Amino acid sequence: MPGVILVTNDDGIHAAGLQALAAALEDLGEVYVVAPDREQSAVGHALTLHRPLRVDQLAERRFAVNGTPSDCVNLGVLGLLPEAPVLVASGINHGANLGDDVTYSGTVSAAMEGTLLGVASMAVSRVDPDGSGFDRAAEVARAVAARLLVEGLPAQTLLNVNVPPGRPAGVRMTRLGRRVYSAKAVREVDPRGRPYYWIGAGPPTWEEDEESDIAAVHNGWASVTPLHLDLTHHGALRGLASWEGGLNALLKKRTR
Ligand code: MN
């Protein structure tokens, strides 16, 4: 056997996209599914630290967890799997995870968790289901996974894959697009006269950028974006070094 592959998602263990991804990777390794027992979309990188996690084994190499996607990867790699996986694959998400939205995504966060644990990781998402199934997205996922297993990835790097509906024109390597936050939070009043708010209403708008993941998917291409987990801006760090003296002088004065 070439190695163990951990498959997870954020739509829950019964999602069609998860089955499609697990099936697509079956001939690349010994696939273990460790996934949330219910939908966990938009939970981001949340971990469950203040209650015990329960694991329900549904079949051989198939586990449902009452936690988040990142819980599943952590528990899979550090507890449930017989050996360290060669790949963590998350998805196929029902809905795209593009541009700035990746920071909210449970699907992408699961791949980030795999990367943090030192495992080559990828997230796969598909533009909202249109009834045509996940076959095309699964083909793209398998091709990327096969290449990834041979080539590996740079340190702290994961792949974010998005597939348009229908047959993709091909694959494009892209960068993350930028969301334009223009829609206001909706404020309404409930039947008891108290205000409530609704965020994330209305369709997102994006900056024009032909090199972006958003443009690629919009134009019918599958998009592969390498993401880096080092969030430090090293250029800014050099620039901010000059703040140290002033901040320390200020603190000294205050605590005198
Ligand atoms: Mn989802």
Side-chain angles (χ1 to χ4, degrees), residues 3 9 13 28 30 51 53 55 92 100 133 135 148 161 178 201:
N9 75 346
I13 192 145
L28 295 178
E30 196 177 14
R51 63 171 173 82
L53 292 170
V55 178
I92 298 170
D100 290 327
D135 296 5
L148 194 165
V161 181
R178 305 276 296 279

Side-chain angles (χ1 to χ4, degrees), residues 10-11 39 41 93-94 107:
D10 77 354
D11 296 321
E39 166 144 18
S41 292
N93 190 58
H94 296 226
T107 307

Side-chain angles (χ1 to χ4, degrees), residues 6 8 68-78 88 110-111 113-114 117:
L6 173 54
T8 191
T68 67
S70 294
D71 290 334
C72 291
V73 173
N74 201 284
L75 192 57
V77 172
L78 301 178
V88 169
E113 186 71 8
L117 293 168

